[in-house]
């Protein structure tokens, strides 16, 4: 099914001097932004101020095109991309187009040969202009987190609650975790212990549910004293981390004291 994507159609049609159509940029899941660099050169036969204006417009058109391609491939959850959501809903399609059109120009570079490079940035989250608001549905109600007692362990290990944790880090390195906008943490029995239905929707739209990091130095979202848990697996096309029953009970027990899940102070190492 063809997606109705008319963003800046008139501008793009008029500017046939954009650069190649290969998209190399990708979302930065740690900063939760998508950044692209569009390049344009002035058409032959234009001079001085007109030349610069035309090159700048071409660079903007190139940047918008790149953003559109990247955004369509972003995973909303394990089973849905932004493109799939756009196909299913005209409202989502219109909202995503509007968000791309509102992408922020963060820098411009004019070269000596008349070419222009325009760097644009689009936030994945944020109450104003973030991609999440267009694609994440508001739950009918907020589901409570499971009680720690329901995470029955297979041993006699007692979970000692210490309190004072500032966040949660799930170490998924080596498990081929795929970043998504709406991840789910599961226990070893496949039961959800953390999902966007458990959270305040407005907070999810503003800050997201988690960030993704290569190492602990990038895990600042979890604060200075995070609870660090090693995932045992990933499920649902490697989108959702799985933790042991013991660790699931520990996470939920500590959260009842520190409430780091409600604060979305979660980081996935991948």
């Amino acid at each position: 099914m063809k997606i109705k994507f008319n963003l800046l159609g008139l501008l793009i049609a008029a500017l046939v001097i954009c650069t190649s159509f290969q998209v190399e940029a990708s979302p930065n899941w740690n900063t939760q932004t998508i950044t692209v660099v569009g390049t344009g050169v002035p058409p032959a036969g234009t001079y001085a101020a007109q030349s610069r204006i035309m090159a700048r417009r071409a660079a903007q058109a190139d940047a918008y095109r790149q953003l559109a391609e990247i955004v369509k491939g972003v995973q909303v959850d394990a089973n849905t991309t932004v493109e799939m959501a756009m196909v299913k809903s005209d409202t989502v399609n219109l909202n995503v187009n509007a968000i791309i059109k509102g992408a922020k120009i963060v820098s411009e570079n004019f070269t000596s040969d008349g070419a222009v490079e325009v760097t644009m940035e689009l936030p994945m989250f944020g109450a104003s202009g973030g991609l999440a608001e267009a694609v994440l549905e508001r739950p009918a109600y907020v589901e409570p987190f499971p009680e720690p007692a329901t995470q029955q362990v297979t041993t006699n290990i007692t979970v000692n609650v210490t309190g004072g944790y500032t966040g949660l880090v799930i170490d998924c390195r080596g498990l081929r975790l795929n970043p998504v906008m709406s991840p789910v943490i599961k226990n070893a029995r496949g039961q959800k212990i953390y999902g966007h239905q458990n959270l305040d929707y407005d907070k999810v739209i503003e800050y997201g549910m988690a960030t993704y990091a290569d190492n602990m130095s990038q895990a600042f979202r979890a604060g200075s004293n995070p609870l660090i848990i090693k995932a045992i697996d990933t499920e649902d096309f490697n989108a959702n981390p799985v933790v042991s029953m013991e660790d699931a009970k520990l996470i939920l027990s500590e959260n009842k004291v520190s409430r780091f899940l409600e604060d979305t102070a979660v980081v996935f190492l991948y």
Side-chain angles (χ1 to χ4, degrees):
M1 183 179 295
K2 185 177 180 181
I3 295 177
K4 294 175 289 183
F5 199 86
N6 297 316
L7 177 65
L8 299 184
L10 182 60
L11 176 60
I12 295 175
L15 300 169
V16 294
I17 42 134
C18 290
T19 57
S20 67
F21 281 76
Q22 180 180 1
V23 175
E24 298 179 355
S26 61
N28 185 322
W29 290 93
N30 187 251
T31 62
Q32 299 182 323
T33 56
I34 301 172
T35 304
V36 298
V37 178
T39 305
V41 296
T46 58
Y47 301 94
Q50 182 189 23
S51 174
R52 176 166 291 191
I53 291 171
M54 295 296 286
R56 184 176 184 272
R57 288 178 179 175
Q60 287 181 279
D62 185 40
Y64 283 125
R65 174 193 55 75
Q66 291 185 59
L67 283 174
E69 290 299 315
I70 295 169
V71 164
K72 287 189 294 184
V74 171
Q75 287 287 148
V76 179
D77 54 35
N79 301 299
T80 308
T81 64
V82 171
E83 182 175 17
M84 294 165 64
M86 292 170 71
V87 170
K88 290 175 59 177
S89 169
D90 287 339
T91 299
V92 172
N93 184 64
L94 290 171
N95 290 341
V96 169
N97 279 311
I99 286 169
I100 294 172
K101 188 175 181 180
K104 180 182 178 182
I105 296 176
V106 295
S107 67
E108 296 182 5
N109 179 39
F110 297 87
T111 65
S112 59
D113 62 357
V116 179
E117 292 182 344
V118 173
T119 301
M120 283 190 177
E121 184 175 278
L122 186 148
M124 297 174 68
F125 297 92
S128 177
L131 180 61
E133 192 169 17
V135 296
L136 292 181
E137 295 184 4
R138 183 184 292 272
Y141 65 97
V142 177
E143 298 178 4
F145 286 100
E147 287 297 319
T150 64
Q151 312 298 301
Q152 297 179 358
V153 299
T154 57
T155 68
N156 293 324
I157 296 175
T158 301
V159 173
N160 295 315
V161 179
T162 62
Y165 287 113
T166 56
L168 173 66
V169 173
I170 304 292
D171 188 348
C172 304
R173 288 174 291 188
L175 298 175
R176 298 182 300 172
L177 182 69
N178 289 325
V180 298
M181 297 182 74
S182 180
V184 172
I185 301 175
K186 296 183 177 182
N187 65 22
R189 294 178 183 168
Q191 299 165 322
K192 180 185 71 175
I193 66 169
Y194 180 72
H196 91 267
Q197 295 90 347
N198 303 118
L199 304 168
D200 177 83
Y201 175 79
D202 294 323
K203 184 176 290 186
V204 171
I205 295 303
E206 178 70 31
Y207 303 108
M209 294 178 57
T211 57
Y212 293 77
D214 294 329
N215 52 66
M216 285 299 299
S217 67
Q218 298 176 341
F220 45 84
R221 182 180 177 121
S224 60
N225 184 37
L227 173 62
I228 303 174
I229 300 294
K230 178 64 179 178
I232 60 173
D233 201 359
T234 56
E235 292 185 351
D236 309 313
F237 306 104
N238 297 327
N240 298 324
V242 179
V243 299
S244 69
M245 297 301 294
E246 289 87 350
D247 284 339
K249 185 172 184 177
L250 176 61
I251 291 169
L252 293 171
S253 297
E254 291 291 353
N255 183 64
K256 288 182 73 71
V257 177
S258 302
R259 300 183 68 82
F260 46 76
L261 295 181
E262 285 88 339
D263 291 337
T264 68
V266 178
V267 177
F268 299 127
L269 299 182
Y270 75 127

